[in-house]
Amino acid sequence: MRAPALLAGGVLLMAAGAAFGGPRVFSLDQCADQYVLALSPRTDIVGLSKRVRAPDSFLRAKAVGLPERRATVESVLAARPQVVVRYWGGDAGLTAALARRGVRVLTIDDATDFAGVRTNIRRIAAGLGQAAAGERLIRGMDADLAAAAGAGRGRGLYYVTSGGDTQGPGTLIDAMIRAAGFANLATRPGYGVLSLESLVLHPPALVALGFFDENMAAYERWSVGRSQVLRRLATERGTVSLRGAILGCPAWFVADGAVALAAWARLHPGPRA
């Protein structure tokens, strides 16, 4: 009769752990990884994405020693999560399978401003039972935004990625630019391609380079290495390289970009717009 008794004891221990700890958490993609790493105790994390330690993962150092798993039905269910966090990861079949088994799925929404980021943080933190930790993230983000405010003094800025893309009004990048006190010279709403003609007709005070740290070959091929226009702007005015790790997810660390832009602005005060 010892085996049933031991089994019952094990069940009681598991129940006690569930009562005193947080939910078992699985993250389906790299953006969700950042939320889980920032908000959940390590002991509650049963799975992170296979890209959690990629160079453009903001909290990759915190992922060392934690399990990395694929976003498949088999892999997720084998980890026995109680909560799954996702931004884009997983398909309809996976989320349906999780719902049938009573696993809660928390989805990070796209955010076009920092109010949307705050909403994301509060919802995910509440779902993980970590509301206080979420408020700490928000306070840190808001402190960064307050420190960056107004630094650009209304001067014009273009944002461009290593692929030549830019972002206008209605995007979180635009909100980041405005948070640092710059005027975004990409005036078409949403995502677009930055033309060299625009740079000539509307020369900016600053060019913000996004993701170039992750794609230096593209940097040399497309921009300063090949374009006389951007080369001249880089020499005469300036560029700030924004790390890819702060740009790919609607999260609190996008405010780090505003801080970097503000730091450049204070070193190069120049005239107001």
Side-chain angles (χ1 to χ4, degrees):
M1 295 296 292
R2 286 182 57 83
L6 288 172
L7 179 59
V11 170
L12 288 174
L13 285 173
M14 289 177 64
F20 292 106
R24 294 168 57 85
V25 183
F26 194 113
S27 165
L28 292 182
D29 55 68
Q30 189 185 48
C31 180
D33 291 336
Q34 314 312 312
Y35 276 81
V36 169
L37 286 167
L39 293 169
S40 288
R42 290 176 65 87
T43 51
D44 295 341
I45 299 172
V46 298
L48 298 167
S49 84
K50 287 291 188 176
R51 282 193 50 79
V52 69
R53 289 197 285 166
D56 58 346
S57 175
F58 185 73
L59 293 176
R60 58 187 178 275
K62 293 189 69 173
V64 175
L66 292 172
E68 299 172 28
R69 306 181 191 275
R70 299 189 183 280
T72 64
V73 173
E74 295 79 7
S75 179
V76 176
L77 293 180
R80 297 183 295 112
Q82 295 165 298
V83 178
V84 166
V85 183
R86 66 183 296 273
Y87 176 44
W88 54 263
D91 56 22
L94 172 56
T95 54
L98 295 173
R100 287 195 298 271
R101 289 162 176 81
V103 179
R104 286 187 297 137
V105 177
L106 304 175
T107 299
I108 300 161
D109 292 332
D110 284 327
T112 59
D113 54 29
F114 288 100
V117 173
R118 293 184 194 95
T119 298
N120 270 335
I121 294 170
R122 288 191 170 113
R123 189 179 63 258
I124 303 303
L128 297 175
Q130 300 293 334
E135 293 304 314
R136 286 194 294 271
L137 286 181
I138 291 171
R139 286 195 297 271
M141 180 184 77
D142 286 345
D144 286 341
L145 294 174
R153 302 197 301 173
R155 287 175 288 171
L157 180 154
Y158 274 118
Y159 167 82
V160 59
T161 70
S162 57
D165 299 318
T166 191
Q167 295 186 33
T171 66
L172 189 54
I173 292 299
D174 178 73
M176 176 193 74
I177 292 168
R178 290 185 288 106
F182 284 92
N184 187 358
L185 295 179
T187 56
R188 180 176 295 178
Y191 298 79
V193 176
L194 178 62
S195 68
L196 294 179
E197 289 80 5
S198 296
L199 289 169
V200 173
L201 294 173
H202 307 285
L206 176 65
V207 177
L209 303 170
F211 296 99
F212 283 85
D213 59 322
E214 303 303 330
N215 195 352
M216 290 306 296
Y219 177 87
E220 293 299 328
R221 181 173 63 252
W222 186 85
S223 63
V224 176
R226 293 288 295 271
S227 165
Q228 293 294 329
V229 175
L230 275 179
R231 184 183 299 173
R232 175 172 55 80
L233 286 172
T235 301
E236 296 177 357
R237 304 199 178 194
T239 60
V240 170
S241 182
L242 302 175
R243 295 182 298 132
I246 69 171
L247 300 172
C249 178
W252 61 96
F253 41 78
V254 177
D256 288 9
V259 171
L261 297 177
W264 181 92
R266 292 184 175 118
L267 286 174
H268 307 84
R272 290 183 179 272

